[in-house]
PDB file of all heavy atoms in Angstrom:
ATOM      1  N   GLU A 934       0.820  -1.208   0.000  1.00 98.00           N
ATOM      2  CA  GLU A 934       0.000   0.000   0.000  1.00 98.00           C
ATOM      3  C   GLU A 934       0.857   1.262   0.000  1.00 98.00           C
ATOM      4  O   GLU A 934       0.545   2.242  -0.697  1.00 98.00           O
ATOM      5  CB  GLU A 934      -0.934  -0.002   1.216  1.00 98.00           C
ATOM      6  CG  GLU A 934      -2.013  -1.080   1.148  1.00 98.00           C
ATOM      7  CD  GLU A 934      -2.823  -1.186   2.423  1.00 98.00           C
ATOM      8  OE1 GLU A 934      -2.479  -0.476   3.414  1.00 98.00           O
ATOM      9  OE2 GLU A 934      -3.791  -1.976   2.438  1.00 98.00           O
ATOM     10  N   ASN A 935       1.951   1.246   0.751  1.00 98.00           N
ATOM     11  CA  ASN A 935       2.771   2.455   0.869  1.00 98.00           C
ATOM     12  C   ASN A 935       3.638   2.717  -0.357  1.00 98.00           C
ATOM     13  O   ASN A 935       3.852   3.872  -0.744  1.00 98.00           O
ATOM     14  CB  ASN A 935       3.640   2.380   2.115  1.00 98.00           C
ATOM     15  CG  ASN A 935       2.831   2.503   3.399  1.00 98.00           C
ATOM     16  OD1 ASN A 935       1.694   2.981   3.368  1.00 98.00           O
ATOM     17  ND2 ASN A 935       3.390   2.073   4.503  1.00 98.00           N
ATOM     18  N   ILE A 936       4.142   1.658  -0.988  1.00 98.00           N
ATOM     19  CA  ILE A 936       4.977   1.877  -2.173  1.00 98.00           C
ATOM     20  C   ILE A 936       4.144   2.420  -3.325  1.00 98.00           C
ATOM     21  O   ILE A 936       4.666   3.105  -4.216  1.00 98.00           O
ATOM     22  CB  ILE A 936       5.704   0.581  -2.594  1.00 98.00           C
ATOM     23  CG1 ILE A 936       6.856   0.916  -3.552  1.00 98.00           C
ATOM     24  CG2 ILE A 936       4.740  -0.429  -3.213  1.00 98.00           C
ATOM     25  CD1 ILE A 936       7.735  -0.274  -3.891  1.00 98.00           C
ATOM     26  N   ALA A 937       2.844   2.155  -3.304  1.00 98.00           N
ATOM     27  CA  ALA A 937       1.952   2.644  -4.363  1.00 98.00           C
ATOM     28  C   ALA A 937       1.868   4.170  -4.373  1.00 98.00           C
ATOM     29  O   ALA A 937       1.463   4.760  -5.382  1.00 98.00           O
ATOM     30  CB  ALA A 937       0.558   2.043  -4.194  1.00 98.00           C
ATOM     31  N   ARG A 938       2.281   4.808  -3.288  1.00 98.00           N
ATOM     32  CA  ARG A 938       2.249   6.276  -3.202  1.00 98.00           C
ATOM     33  C   ARG A 938       3.514   6.894  -3.784  1.00 98.00           C
ATOM     34  O   ARG A 938       3.660   8.120  -3.777  1.00 98.00           O
ATOM     35  CB  ARG A 938       2.086   6.694  -1.740  1.00 98.00           C
ATOM     36  CG  ARG A 938       0.810   6.160  -1.084  1.00 98.00           C
ATOM     37  CD  ARG A 938       0.602   6.767   0.301  1.00 98.00           C
ATOM     38  NE  ARG A 938      -0.602   6.260   0.925  1.00 98.00           N
ATOM     39  CZ  ARG A 938      -0.621   5.283   1.839  1.00 98.00           C
ATOM     40  NH1 ARG A 938       0.528   4.737   2.242  1.00 98.00           N
ATOM     41  NH2 ARG A 938      -1.761   4.866   2.355  1.00 98.00           N
ATOM     42  N   THR A 939       4.433   6.064  -4.261  1.00 98.00           N
ATOM     43  CA  THR A 939       5.676   6.567  -4.855  1.00 98.00           C
ATOM     44  C   THR A 939       5.651   6.367  -6.370  1.00 98.00           C
ATOM     45  O   THR A 939       4.705   5.796  -6.913  1.00 98.00           O
ATOM     46  CB  THR A 939       6.904   5.825  -4.279  1.00 98.00           C
ATOM     47  OG1 THR A 939       6.963   4.495  -4.827  1.00 98.00           O
ATOM     48  CG2 THR A 939       6.834   5.749  -2.766  1.00 98.00           C
ATOM     49  N   ASP A 940       6.710   6.808  -7.013  1.00 98.00           N
ATOM     50  CA  ASP A 940       6.843   6.617  -8.466  1.00 98.00           C
ATOM     51  C   ASP A 940       7.645   5.361  -8.805  1.00 98.00           C
ATOM     52  O   ASP A 940       7.945   5.122  -9.983  1.00 98.00           O
ATOM     53  CB  ASP A 940       7.531   7.838  -9.098  1.00 98.00           C
ATOM     54  CG  ASP A 940       6.658   9.094  -9.010  1.00 98.00           C
ATOM     55  OD1 ASP A 940       5.427   8.950  -9.052  1.00 98.00           O
ATOM     56  OD2 ASP A 940       7.232  10.200  -8.899  1.00 98.00           O
ATOM     57  N   LEU A 941       7.994   4.571  -7.809  1.00 98.00           N
ATOM     58  CA  LEU A 941       8.777   3.362  -8.059  1.00 98.00           C
ATOM     59  C   LEU A 941       7.944   2.308  -8.790  1.00 98.00           C
ATOM     60  O   LEU A 941       6.746   2.157  -8.534  1.00 98.00           O
ATOM     61  CB  LEU A 941       9.272   2.763  -6.743  1.00 98.00           C
ATOM     62  CG  LEU A 941      10.334   3.552  -5.968  1.00 98.00           C
ATOM     63  CD1 LEU A 941      10.563   2.914  -4.604  1.00 98.00           C
ATOM     64  CD2 LEU A 941      11.638   3.597  -6.755  1.00 98.00           C
ATOM     65  N   CYS A 942       8.586   1.568  -9.677  1.00 98.00           N
ATOM     66  CA  CYS A 942       7.969   0.363 -10.234  1.00 98.00           C
ATOM     67  C   CYS A 942       8.100  -0.737  -9.179  1.00 98.00           C
ATOM     68  O   CYS A 942       9.117  -0.819  -8.491  1.00 98.00           O
ATOM     69  CB  CYS A 942       8.676  -0.062 -11.513  1.00 98.00           C
ATOM     70  SG  CYS A 942       8.553   1.145 -12.855  1.00 98.00           S
ATOM     71  N   TYR A 943       7.089  -1.573  -9.055  1.00 98.00           N
ATOM     72  CA  TYR A 943       7.168  -2.585  -8.007  1.00 98.00           C
ATOM     73  C   TYR A 943       6.399  -3.846  -8.368  1.00 98.00           C
ATOM     74  O   TYR A 943       5.524  -3.844  -9.235  1.00 98.00           O
ATOM     75  CB  TYR A 943       6.678  -2.034  -6.666  1.00 98.00           C
ATOM     76  CG  TYR A 943       5.228  -1.573  -6.627  1.00 98.00           C
ATOM     77  CD1 TYR A 943       4.229  -2.405  -6.109  1.00 98.00           C
ATOM     78  CD2 TYR A 943       4.862  -0.307  -7.079  1.00 98.00           C
ATOM     79  CE1 TYR A 943       2.912  -1.984  -6.057  1.00 98.00           C
ATOM     80  CE2 TYR A 943       3.552   0.123  -7.025  1.00 98.00           C
ATOM     81  CZ  TYR A 943       2.575  -0.722  -6.513  1.00 98.00           C
ATOM     82  OH  TYR A 943       1.271  -0.304  -6.463  1.00 98.00           O
ATOM     83  N   GLY A 944       6.793  -4.931  -7.706  1.00 98.00           N
ATOM     84  CA  GLY A 944       6.162  -6.219  -7.920  1.00 98.00           C
ATOM     85  C   GLY A 944       6.244  -7.051  -6.654  1.00 98.00           C
ATOM     86  O   GLY A 944       6.824  -6.628  -5.649  1.00 98.00           O
ATOM     87  N   ALA A 945       5.684  -8.258  -6.713  1.00 98.00           N
ATOM     88  CA  ALA A 945       5.629  -9.134  -5.544  1.00 98.00           C
ATOM     89  C   ALA A 945       6.274 -10.478  -5.874  1.00 98.00           C
ATOM     90  O   ALA A 945       6.130 -10.983  -6.983  1.00 98.00           O
ATOM     91  CB  ALA A 945       4.181  -9.339  -5.103  1.00 98.00           C
ATOM     92  N   TYR A 946       6.955 -11.044  -4.873  1.00 99.00           N
ATOM     93  CA  TYR A 946       7.565 -12.355  -5.093  1.00 99.00           C
ATOM     94  C   TYR A 946       7.050 -13.386  -4.096  1.00 99.00           C
ATOM     95  O   TYR A 946       6.595 -13.050  -2.992  1.00 99.00           O
ATOM     96  CB  TYR A 946       9.087 -12.277  -5.084  1.00 99.00           C
ATOM     97  CG  TYR A 946       9.781 -12.135  -3.746  1.00 99.00           C
ATOM     98  CD1 TYR A 946      10.139 -13.253  -2.998  1.00 99.00           C
ATOM     99  CD2 TYR A 946      10.142 -10.877  -3.249  1.00 99.00           C
ATOM    100  CE1 TYR A 946      10.812 -13.134  -1.796  1.00 99.00           C
ATOM    101  CE2 TYR A 946      10.816 -10.745  -2.051  1.00 99.00           C
ATOM    102  CZ  TYR A 946      11.152 -11.872  -1.325  1.00 99.00           C
ATOM    103  OH  TYR A 946      11.823 -11.744  -0.123  1.00 99.00           O
ATOM    104  N   HIS A 947       7.114 -14.641  -4.527  1.00 99.00           N
ATOM    105  CA  HIS A 947       6.687 -15.789  -3.732  1.00 99.00           C
ATOM    106  C   HIS A 947       7.891 -16.657  -3.425  1.00 99.00           C
ATOM    107  O   HIS A 947       8.692 -16.958  -4.316  1.00 99.00           O
ATOM    108  CB  HIS A 947       5.645 -16.606  -4.507  1.00 99.00           C
ATOM    109  CG  HIS A 947       5.280 -17.900  -3.838  1.00 99.00           C
ATOM    110  ND1 HIS A 947       4.354 -17.976  -2.831  1.00 99.00           N
ATOM    111  CD2 HIS A 947       5.733 -19.177  -4.036  1.00 99.00           C
ATOM    112  CE1 HIS A 947       4.230 -19.230  -2.433  1.00 99.00           C
ATOM    113  NE2 HIS A 947       5.068 -19.984  -3.145  1.00 99.00           N
ATOM    114  N   PHE A 948       8.037 -17.087  -2.173  1.00 98.00           N
ATOM    115  CA  PHE A 948       9.111 -17.991  -1.776  1.00 98.00           C
ATOM    116  C   PHE A 948       8.602 -19.418  -1.905  1.00 98.00           C
ATOM    117  O   PHE A 948       7.671 -19.830  -1.207  1.00 98.00           O
ATOM    118  CB  PHE A 948       9.547 -17.699  -0.338  1.00 98.00           C
ATOM    119  CG  PHE A 948      10.820 -18.388   0.062  1.00 98.00           C
ATOM    120  CD1 PHE A 948      12.029 -17.724  -0.015  1.00 98.00           C
ATOM    121  CD2 PHE A 948      10.802 -19.703   0.513  1.00 98.00           C
ATOM    122  CE1 PHE A 948      13.213 -18.366   0.349  1.00 98.00           C
ATOM    123  CE2 PHE A 948      11.967 -20.345   0.880  1.00 98.00           C
ATOM    124  CZ  PHE A 948      13.181 -19.677   0.798  1.00 98.00           C
ATOM    125  N   PHE A 949       9.212 -20.166  -2.824  1.00 98.00           N
ATOM    126  CA  PHE A 949       8.762 -21.519  -3.128  1.00 98.00           C
ATOM    127  C   PHE A 949       9.134 -22.498  -2.023  1.00 98.00           C
ATOM    128  O   PHE A 949      10.270 -22.545  -1.568  1.00 98.00           O
ATOM    129  CB  PHE A 949       9.380 -21.973  -4.453  1.00 98.00           C
ATOM    130  CG  PHE A 949       9.076 -23.394  -4.827  1.00 98.00           C
ATOM    131  CD1 PHE A 949       7.796 -23.797  -5.157  1.00 98.00           C
ATOM    132  CD2 PHE A 949      10.097 -24.336  -4.855  1.00 98.00           C
ATOM    133  CE1 PHE A 949       7.523 -25.110  -5.508  1.00 98.00           C
ATOM    134  CE2 PHE A 949       9.841 -25.648  -5.207  1.00 98.00           C
ATOM    135  CZ  PHE A 949       8.548 -26.040  -5.529  1.00 98.00           C
ATOM    136  N   SER A 950       8.136 -23.305  -1.610  1.00 98.00           N
ATOM    137  CA  SER A 950       8.360 -24.348  -0.619  1.00 98.00           C
ATOM    138  C   SER A 950       8.513 -25.697  -1.303  1.00 98.00           C
ATOM    139  O   SER A 950       7.743 -26.034  -2.206  1.00 98.00           O
ATOM    140  CB  SER A 950       7.183 -24.405   0.365  1.00 98.00           C
ATOM    141  OG  SER A 950       7.265 -25.552   1.176  1.00 98.00           O
ATOM    142  N   PHE A 951       9.495 -26.474  -0.873  1.00 98.00           N
ATOM    143  CA  PHE A 951       9.687 -27.819  -1.397  1.00 98.00           C
ATOM    144  C   PHE A 951       8.639 -28.789  -0.849  1.00 98.00           C
ATOM    145  O   PHE A 951       8.546 -29.923  -1.320  1.00 98.00           O
ATOM    146  CB  PHE A 951      11.067 -28.359  -1.005  1.00 98.00           C
ATOM    147  CG  PHE A 951      12.227 -27.600  -1.578  1.00 98.00           C
ATOM    148  CD1 PHE A 951      13.515 -27.877  -1.156  1.00 98.00           C
ATOM    149  CD2 PHE A 951      12.058 -26.615  -2.547  1.00 98.00           C
ATOM    150  CE1 PHE A 951      14.615 -27.197  -1.671  1.00 98.00           C
ATOM    151  CE2 PHE A 951      13.142 -25.927  -3.071  1.00 98.00           C
ATOM    152  CZ  PHE A 951      14.416 -26.223  -2.626  1.00 98.00           C
ATOM    153  N   ASP A 952       7.880 -28.341   0.143  1.00 97.00           N
ATOM    154  CA  ASP A 952       7.054 -29.262   0.927  1.00 97.00           C
ATOM    155  C   ASP A 952       5.550 -29.122   0.729  1.00 97.00           C
ATOM    156  O   ASP A 952       4.782 -29.744   1.468  1.00 97.00           O
ATOM    157  CB  ASP A 952       7.374 -29.070   2.418  1.00 97.00           C
ATOM    158  CG  ASP A 952       8.848 -29.262   2.723  1.00 97.00           C
ATOM    159  OD1 ASP A 952       9.383 -30.306   2.315  1.00 97.00           O
ATOM    160  OD2 ASP A 952       9.455 -28.379   3.343  1.00 97.00           O
ATOM    161  N   SER A 953       5.114 -28.316  -0.226  1.00 97.00           N
ATOM    162  CA  SER A 953       3.679 -28.209  -0.447  1.00 97.00           C
ATOM    163  C   SER A 953       3.363 -28.131  -1.931  1.00 97.00           C
ATOM    164  O   SER A 953       4.252 -27.873  -2.757  1.00 97.00           O
ATOM    165  CB  SER A 953       3.096 -26.995   0.285  1.00 97.00           C
ATOM    166  OG  SER A 953       3.686 -25.791  -0.155  1.00 97.00           O
ATOM    167  N   ALA A 954       2.111 -28.341  -2.271  1.00 98.00           N
ATOM    168  CA  ALA A 954       1.685 -28.454  -3.660  1.00 98.00           C
ATOM    169  C   ALA A 954       1.797 -27.125  -4.400  1.00 98.00           C
ATOM    170  O   ALA A 954       1.495 -26.058  -3.842  1.00 98.00           O
ATOM    171  CB  ALA A 954       0.243 -28.953  -3.721  1.00 98.00           C
ATOM    172  N   GLY A 955       2.223 -27.197  -5.658  1.00 98.00           N
ATOM    173  CA  GLY A 955       2.361 -25.995  -6.467  1.00 98.00           C
ATOM    174  C   GLY A 955       1.037 -25.267  -6.659  1.00 98.00           C
ATOM    175  O   GLY A 955       1.004 -24.031  -6.679  1.00 98.00           O
ATOM    176  N   GLU A 956      -0.046 -25.996  -6.775  1.00 98.00           N
ATOM    177  CA  GLU A 956      -1.351 -25.375  -7.006  1.00 98.00           C
ATOM    178  C   GLU A 956      -1.775 -24.515  -5.822  1.00 98.00           C
ATOM    179  O   GLU A 956      -2.247 -23.383  -5.995  1.00 98.00           O
ATOM    180  CB  GLU A 956      -2.398 -26.453  -7.263  1.00 98.00           C
ATOM    181  CG  GLU A 956      -3.778 -25.890  -7.600  1.00 98.00           C
ATOM    182  CD  GLU A 956      -4.780 -26.966  -7.935  1.00 98.00           C
ATOM    183  OE1 GLU A 956      -4.391 -28.156  -7.972  1.00 98.00           O
ATOM    184  OE2 GLU A 956      -5.954 -26.628  -8.173  1.00 98.00           O
ATOM    185  N   THR A 957      -1.612 -25.024  -4.603  1.00 98.00           N
ATOM    186  CA  THR A 957      -2.010 -24.245  -3.428  1.00 98.00           C
ATOM    187  C   THR A 957      -1.037 -23.093  -3.178  1.00 98.00           C
ATOM    188  O   THR A 957      -1.431 -22.049  -2.646  1.00 98.00           O
ATOM    189  CB  THR A 957      -2.108 -25.142  -2.187  1.00 98.00           C
ATOM    190  OG1 THR A 957      -0.885 -25.898  -2.040  1.00 98.00           O
ATOM    191  CG2 THR A 957      -3.271 -26.115  -2.316  1.00 98.00           C
ATOM    192  N   GLN A 958       0.214 -23.264  -3.560  1.00 99.00           N
ATOM    193  CA  GLN A 958       1.154 -22.150  -3.443  1.00 99.00           C
ATOM    194  C   GLN A 958       0.756 -21.016  -4.391  1.00 99.00           C
ATOM    195  O   GLN A 958       0.810 -19.833  -4.027  1.00 99.00           O
ATOM    196  CB  GLN A 958       2.579 -22.618  -3.744  1.00 99.00           C
ATOM    197  CG  GLN A 958       3.140 -23.575  -2.705  1.00 99.00           C
ATOM    198  CD  GLN A 958       4.638 -23.750  -2.824  1.00 99.00           C
ATOM    199  OE1 GLN A 958       5.401 -22.780  -2.748  1.00 99.00           O
ATOM    200  NE2 GLN A 958       5.089 -24.993  -2.985  1.00 99.00           N
ATOM    201  N   ALA A 959       0.352 -21.383  -5.605  1.00 98.00           N
ATOM    202  CA  ALA A 959      -0.094 -20.366  -6.566  1.00 98.00           C
ATOM    203  C   ALA A 959      -1.319 -19.639  -6.048  1.00 98.00           C
ATOM    204  O   ALA A 959      -1.422 -18.407  -6.145  1.00 98.00           O
ATOM    205  CB  ALA A 959      -0.387 -21.015  -7.913  1.00 98.00           C
ATOM    206  N   GLN A 960      -2.257 -20.373  -5.476  1.00 98.00           N
ATOM    207  CA  GLN A 960      -3.475 -19.750  -4.959  1.00 98.00           C
ATOM    208  C   GLN A 960      -3.173 -18.815  -3.788  1.00 98.00           C
ATOM    209  O   GLN A 960      -3.818 -17.783  -3.620  1.00 98.00           O
ATOM    210  CB  GLN A 960      -4.482 -20.824  -4.538  1.00 98.00           C
ATOM    211  CG  GLN A 960      -5.151 -21.522  -5.711  1.00 98.00           C
ATOM    212  CD  GLN A 960      -5.812 -20.535  -6.663  1.00 98.00           C
ATOM    213  OE1 GLN A 960      -6.541 -19.623  -6.250  1.00 98.00           O
ATOM    214  NE2 GLN A 960      -5.542 -20.697  -7.967  1.00 98.00           N
ATOM    215  N   ASN A 961      -2.184 -19.188  -2.980  1.00 98.00           N
ATOM    216  CA  ASN A 961      -1.778 -18.315  -1.884  1.00 98.00           C
ATOM    217  C   ASN A 961      -1.289 -16.975  -2.424  1.00 98.00           C
ATOM    218  O   ASN A 961      -1.678 -15.902  -1.931  1.00 98.00           O
ATOM    219  CB  ASN A 961      -0.681 -18.998  -1.062  1.00 98.00           C
ATOM    220  CG  ASN A 961      -0.294 -18.219   0.179  1.00 98.00           C
ATOM    221  OD1 ASN A 961      -1.088 -17.450   0.723  1.00 98.00           O
ATOM    222  ND2 ASN A 961       0.933 -18.432   0.646  1.00 98.00           N
ATOM    223  N   TYR A 962      -0.446 -17.028  -3.452  1.00 99.00           N
ATOM    224  CA  TYR A 962       0.070 -15.801  -4.063  1.00 99.00           C
ATOM    225  C   TYR A 962      -1.059 -14.996  -4.706  1.00 99.00           C
ATOM    226  O   TYR A 962      -1.187 -13.780  -4.473  1.00 99.00           O
ATOM    227  CB  TYR A 962       1.123 -16.154  -5.106  1.00 99.00           C
ATOM    228  CG  TYR A 962       1.743 -14.956  -5.801  1.00 99.00           C
ATOM    229  CD1 TYR A 962       2.934 -14.404  -5.346  1.00 99.00           C
ATOM    230  CD2 TYR A 962       1.148 -14.377  -6.926  1.00 99.00           C
ATOM    231  CE1 TYR A 962       3.524 -13.320  -5.980  1.00 99.00           C
ATOM    232  CE2 TYR A 962       1.726 -13.293  -7.567  1.00 99.00           C
ATOM    233  CZ  TYR A 962       2.906 -12.768  -7.088  1.00 99.00           C
ATOM    234  OH  TYR A 962       3.462 -11.689  -7.732  1.00 99.00           O
ATOM    235  N   ILE A 963      -1.878 -15.638  -5.512  1.00 98.00           N
ATOM    236  CA  ILE A 963      -2.926 -14.942  -6.265  1.00 98.00           C
ATOM    237  C   ILE A 963      -3.933 -14.286  -5.329  1.00 98.00           C
ATOM    238  O   ILE A 963      -4.322 -13.126  -5.525  1.00 98.00           O
ATOM    239  CB  ILE A 963      -3.628 -15.921  -7.225  1.00 98.00           C
ATOM    240  CG1 ILE A 963      -2.653 -16.361  -8.328  1.00 98.00           C
ATOM    241  CG2 ILE A 963      -4.868 -15.275  -7.851  1.00 98.00           C
ATOM    242  CD1 ILE A 963      -3.124 -17.563  -9.121  1.00 98.00           C
ATOM    243  N   SER A 964      -4.363 -15.012  -4.301  1.00 98.00           N
ATOM    244  CA  SER A 964      -5.364 -14.455  -3.383  1.00 98.00           C
ATOM    245  C   SER A 964      -4.782 -13.337  -2.528  1.00 98.00           C
ATOM    246  O   SER A 964      -5.494 -12.428  -2.109  1.00 98.00           O
ATOM    247  CB  SER A 964      -5.927 -15.561  -2.482  1.00 98.00           C
ATOM    248  OG  SER A 964      -4.902 -16.128  -1.676  1.00 98.00           O
ATOM    249  N   THR A 965      -3.470 -13.381  -2.283  1.00 98.00           N
ATOM    250  CA  THR A 965      -2.832 -12.342  -1.469  1.00 98.00           C
ATOM    251  C   THR A 965      -2.515 -11.099  -2.284  1.00 98.00           C
ATOM    252  O   THR A 965      -2.799  -9.975  -1.867  1.00 98.00           O
ATOM    253  CB  THR A 965      -1.524 -12.887  -0.845  1.00 98.00           C
ATOM    254  OG1 THR A 965      -1.832 -13.996  -0.004  1.00 98.00           O
ATOM    255  CG2 THR A 965      -0.824 -11.807  -0.027  1.00 98.00           C
ATOM    256  N   VAL A 966      -1.950 -11.282  -3.457  1.00 98.00           N
ATOM    257  CA  VAL A 966      -1.479 -10.159  -4.273  1.00 98.00           C
ATOM    258  C   VAL A 966      -2.588  -9.560  -5.114  1.00 98.00           C
ATOM    259  O   VAL A 966      -2.694  -8.343  -5.281  1.00 98.00           O
ATOM    260  CB  VAL A 966      -0.305 -10.606  -5.171  1.00 98.00           C
ATOM    261  CG1 VAL A 966       0.134  -9.476  -6.094  1.00 98.00           C
ATOM    262  CG2 VAL A 966       0.859 -11.093  -4.324  1.00 98.00           C
ATOM    263  N   GLY A 967      -3.439 -10.409  -5.663  1.00 98.00           N
ATOM    264  CA  GLY A 967      -4.506  -9.914  -6.517  1.00 98.00           C
ATOM    265  C   GLY A 967      -3.986  -9.433  -7.858  1.00 98.00           C
ATOM    266  O   GLY A 967      -3.028  -9.974  -8.407  1.00 98.00           O
ATOM    267  N   SER A 968      -4.595  -8.383  -8.376  1.00 98.00           N
ATOM    268  CA  SER A 968      -4.235  -7.862  -9.693  1.00 98.00           C
ATOM    269  C   SER A 968      -2.805  -7.320  -9.710  1.00 98.00           C
ATOM    270  O   SER A 968      -2.339  -6.709  -8.748  1.00 98.00           O
ATOM    271  CB  SER A 968      -5.198  -6.744 -10.092  1.00 98.00           C
ATOM    272  OG  SER A 968      -4.758  -6.114 -11.278  1.00 98.00           O
ATOM    273  N   LEU A 969      -2.131  -7.562 -10.841  1.00 98.00           N
ATOM    274  CA  LEU A 969      -0.801  -6.994 -11.053  1.00 98.00           C
ATOM    275  C   LEU A 969      -0.802  -5.995 -12.208  1.00 98.00           C
ATOM    276  O   LEU A 969       0.247  -5.684 -12.765  1.00 98.00           O
ATOM    277  CB  LEU A 969       0.224  -8.099 -11.331  1.00 98.00           C
ATOM    278  CG  LEU A 969       0.681  -8.919 -10.120  1.00 98.00           C
ATOM    279  CD1 LEU A 969       1.614 -10.045 -10.550  1.00 98.00           C
ATOM    280  CD2 LEU A 969       1.362  -8.030  -9.082  1.00 98.00           C
ATOM    281  N   ASP A 970      -1.957  -5.492 -12.559  1.00 98.00           N
ATOM    282  CA  ASP A 970      -2.036  -4.496 -13.626  1.00 98.00           C
ATOM    283  C   ASP A 970      -1.166  -3.288 -13.276  1.00 98.00           C
ATOM    284  O   ASP A 970      -1.301  -2.689 -12.202  1.00 98.00           O
ATOM    285  CB  ASP A 970      -3.479  -4.032 -13.828  1.00 98.00           C
ATOM    286  CG  ASP A 970      -4.354  -5.119 -14.441  1.00 98.00           C
ATOM    287  OD1 ASP A 970      -3.807  -6.151 -14.860  1.00 98.00           O
ATOM    288  OD2 ASP A 970      -5.587  -4.937 -14.479  1.00 98.00           O
ATOM    289  N   GLY A 971      -0.260  -2.950 -14.185  1.00 98.00           N
ATOM    290  CA  GLY A 971       0.645  -1.836 -13.946  1.00 98.00           C
ATOM    291  C   GLY A 971       1.815  -2.168 -13.050  1.00 98.00           C
ATOM    292  O   GLY A 971       2.636  -1.297 -12.750  1.00 98.00           O
ATOM    293  N   LYS A 972       1.896  -3.427 -12.617  1.00 98.00           N
ATOM    294  CA  LYS A 972       2.981  -3.854 -11.727  1.00 98.00           C
ATOM    295  C   LYS A 972       3.974  -4.727 -12.497  1.00 98.00           C
ATOM    296  O   LYS A 972       3.763  -5.085 -13.647  1.00 98.00           O
ATOM    297  CB  LYS A 972       2.420  -4.651 -10.552  1.00 98.00           C
ATOM    298  CG  LYS A 972       1.205  -4.065  -9.867  1.00 98.00           C
ATOM    299  CD  LYS A 972       1.476  -2.722  -9.246  1.00 98.00           C
ATOM    300  CE  LYS A 972       0.316  -2.258  -8.363  1.00 98.00           C
ATOM    301  NZ  LYS A 972      -0.987  -2.188  -9.056  1.00 98.00           N
TER     302      LYS A 972
END
């Protein structure tokens, strides 16, 4: 929320776990980050 008030370009990263399913990891990222339009 705070970086959005600046002119910086920004994005979000996910730390991959060796111990859980790729599908649920993707859903964790998608539901947390949401839209990346303009990011």
Side-chain angles (χ1 to χ4, degrees):
E934 292 173 355
N935 290 341
I936 196 173
R938 301 188 180 99
T939 74
D940 293 328
L941 291 172
C942 297
Y943 61 99
Y946 76 88
H947 173 83
F948 192 96
F949 176 67
S950 169
F951 296 171
D952 304 308
S953 60
E956 184 176 357
T957 52
Q958 293 194 58
Q960 286 305 313
N961 186 26
Y962 181 95
I963 293 166
S964 62
T965 299
V966 176
S968 172
L969 284 176
D970 290 351
K972 314 298 190 303

